[in-house]
Amino acid sequence: MFIFRKKPLFFASLVLLVAFILVSNLPIIKIPLQQVMVLPCRIVSMLTREVSGLIFYHRNFMENRRLKKDIDALEAALARTQEIRLENQRLADLLNFKQKSAVKLIAAKVVARAPDNWTSLILIDKNRLHGIRPAMVVVTSLGLVGRVVDASPPWSKVMLMNDPGFGVSAMAQRSRDIGVVTGTLGSTLLMKYLPKEADIKVSDVIVSSGLTQMYPKGLLIGKVVEVGEEFSGLTKYALIRSAVDLFSLEEVLVMIQ
Amino acid sequence: MRWWNFIFFILGCTILEMTVLAGMSIFGVRPNFLLIIIVSASLFYSLPQAFFLGAFGGLLRDILSRGPFGINAFFAPLWIFFLVKVAQRISTESLGVRVALVFITGIVYAISLRVVLLSLGQSVVGPGAFFRIAFLESLLTAGLMPLVLKAKVWGR
């Protein structure tokens, strides 16, 4: 026989359950409820991970070792790719400059530097057989580098701007004052024989003046970092930071004229 | 090390100077292996052998540099002659004496080279930069000498 008084209890429970489900979907109830559940869930899952880590220790150890080897191999491949990307960027810059330039240019790689401290000389992998001759101007996309002093096989010798034997007639782009730029074996160049009344300031751009026949006009040499007066008091000098980093050259362009 | 094997040592040092050591400089100055060759040859080999080795090292330097051709090939044997004469008068067994020899040879070698270049009308750096480079070069080379001597491959 059906007990009547149980039915109201059943229906009341059902109604309460439906109401609870509907109400708990409201954000005002849902969010706090979820937040209450977060911490216990985290604790339990952490405990589960630790316990499974202990149980499956050997498997995890072997997988860890394999993954470390994969990481090492990938890091080595990444380093090689990075080097290729950098070389590609440098060659793209050179090619862009070469395409825009009105003169014929030959690209060459720097293979070595002269072994003594009293000259600033690099050896490039192109020579007379490739069309290079002494006195040809050497540049990069950033500016003037130097000139060829010897083109005998198997390589050519290029005297850099910071060699004491180098000299080029140059001018300040802003004031058009003319002087001679020569090397000091360091990272700065010396522009000398500037008139006493020359209007030269720090940060002035120095370019080739074209008065030295072998150097085309307008080749970027560098920027002024210091201005001073010569000991005699008759002329001024300026120290110039070259536009090209002469200590880390890897590729250069030789201007064929 | 037999004196003819020393030729390979000279070649190896030159290649190192031009490639690997080219990027490893202190204030833009690198050690001078020609100095090491000159002092080692004069200390460990007979005069004719040391003369030949010094000339070979100097000639290699002249071929790969820009200066007047033959200047190092001339000076290196000359300094070997002087060093052999010095070694006959004073004891060079001590490491300190050998390092001092390298340092002094470096300074005097640089000064003599500068005098010759100036008299030939060649362009040289100013005196300030010259003394900085000469001093640093001699110091670095003298500092490297104990490592070279420790190799214990020399003839005597």
Side-chain angles (χ1 to χ4, degrees):
Chain A
M1 182 181 155
F2 184 68
I3 302 169
F4 180 73
R5 59 175 178 269
K6 283 189 184 172
K7 259 198 175 175
L9 195 62
F10 172 71
F11 280 117
S13 305
L14 197 61
V15 167
L16 270 172
L17 183 65
V18 170
F20 179 74
I21 289 168
L22 289 171
V23 162
S24 66
N25 213 24
L26 289 172
I28 199 164
I29 305 292
K30 194 171 169 185
I31 292 168
L33 265 177
Q34 284 174 343
Q35 281 174 344
V36 163
M37 297 303 294
V38 162
L39 189 59
C41 281
R42 279 185 182 165
I43 293 172
V44 170
S45 62
M46 188 191 74
L47 284 170
T48 310
R49 273 199 307 274
E50 292 299 320
V51 169
S52 65
L54 285 168
I55 292 170
F56 299 111
Y57 170 76
H58 184 260
R59 185 188 69 181
N60 291 339
F61 173 78
M62 295 305 288
E63 193 178 0
N64 187 32
R65 208 161 68 168
R66 183 185 63 78
L67 288 171
K68 275 184 180 172
K69 275 187 191 168
D70 287 346
I71 287 169
D72 289 340
L74 287 169
E75 275 178 354
L78 187 65
R80 283 194 299 274
T81 312
Q82 180 75 348
E83 189 56 39
I84 291 168
R85 189 185 67 79
L86 288 171
E87 189 185 11
N88 187 35
Q89 183 63 40
R90 283 198 307 272
L91 290 171
D93 288 341
L94 275 176
L95 181 65
N96 193 33
F97 176 74
K98 196 175 166 179
Q99 282 176 336
K100 281 183 189 169
S101 176
V103 297
K104 190 179 168 199
L105 298 163
I106 293 179
K109 273 189 186 296
V110 176
V111 294
R113 294 189 82 101
D116 68 345
N117 289 310
W118 302 106
T119 57
S120 192
L121 209 72
I122 55 171
L123 304 174
I124 60 175
D125 64 350
K126 298 273 165 58
N127 51 59
R128 183 182 301 276
L129 302 172
H130 302 92
I132 293 180
R133 297 289 181 268
M136 283 182 175
V137 177
V138 179
V139 297
T140 66
S141 56
L142 295 173
L144 182 62
V145 168
R147 65 178 170 89
V148 177
V149 291
D150 182 23
S152 309
W155 44 47
S156 296
K157 290 182 194 170
V158 175
M159 181 164 60
L160 299 179
M161 277 200 296
N162 61 346
D163 188 291
F166 182 86
V168 61
S169 173
M171 67 177 174
Q173 204 172 45
R174 181 183 58 86
S175 63
R176 319 305 281 181
D177 288 306
I178 291 178
V180 173
V181 170
T182 183
T184 60
L185 290 176
S187 55
T188 49
L189 310 169
L190 175 66
M191 186 172 183
K192 49 189 184 182
Y193 308 134
L194 287 163
K196 196 175 173 187
E197 57 280 356
D199 178 21
I200 292 273
K201 290 180 189 155
V202 172
S203 296
D204 273 351
V205 172
I206 304 296
V207 297
S208 58
S209 64
L211 293 176
T212 311
Q213 195 178 7
M214 67 180 82
Y215 298 98
K217 188 177 180 180
L219 283 177
L220 179 61
I221 293 173
K223 275 190 179 172
V224 176
V225 292
E226 187 184 315
V227 181
E229 220 171 77
E230 294 275 10
F231 183 73
S232 63
L234 299 172
T235 54
K236 271 186 181 173
Y237 71 87
L239 289 179
I240 297 162
R241 170 108 27 224
S242 68
V244 178
D245 184 358
L246 299 171
F247 293 97
S248 55
L249 287 166
E250 296 194 37
E251 290 94 16
V252 295
L253 293 166
V254 182
M255 294 174 86
I256 311 288
Q257 291 182 1
Chain B
M1 190 190 293
R2 303 278 181 199
W3 69 271
W4 55 83
N5 288 340
F6 194 64
I7 292 174
F8 293 106
F9 174 72
I10 296 172
L11 284 169
C13 286
T14 308
I15 291 169
L16 266 180
E17 263 188 305
M18 288 167 62
T19 51
V20 174
L21 290 181
M24 292 161 54
S25 58
I26 297 175
F27 298 116
V29 180
R30 294 166 278 165
N32 186 351
F33 276 93
L34 182 61
L35 274 178
I36 292 178
I37 290 162
I38 288 169
V39 175
S40 309
S42 53
L43 289 176
F44 299 118
Y45 298 100
S46 66
L47 191 58
Q49 292 166 351
F51 248 53
F52 172 76
L53 292 168
F56 179 74
L59 194 67
L60 208 55
R61 179 64 63 97
D62 285 330
I63 288 169
L64 297 165
S65 298
R66 186 186 59 80
F69 190 81
I71 194 165
N72 286 297
F74 171 75
F75 266 113
L78 193 66
W79 281 111
I80 283 172
F81 177 77
F82 286 134
L83 284 170
V84 165
K85 291 298 174 193
V86 165
Q88 285 171 357
R89 294 189 195 288
I90 63 169
S91 167
T92 54
E93 294 301 318
S94 143
L95 179 66
V97 169
R98 290 173 177 180
V99 168
L101 263 179
V102 171
F103 183 79
I104 294 166
T105 307
I107 298 277
V108 181
Y109 193 101
I111 292 172
S112 53
L113 211 62
R114 181 181 173 88
V115 166
V116 169
L117 287 175
L118 278 171
S119 62
L120 288 173
Q122 298 277 323
S123 303
V124 292
V125 284
F130 166 75
F131 281 113
R132 173 178 62 86
I133 294 171
F135 180 77
L136 269 175
E137 183 187 70
S138 304
L139 199 65
L140 289 172
T141 312
L144 211 57
M145 192 65 178
L147 292 170
V148 173
L149 290 172
K150 260 191 184 305
K152 289 193 194 286
V153 293
W154 307 106
R156 55 182 170 93

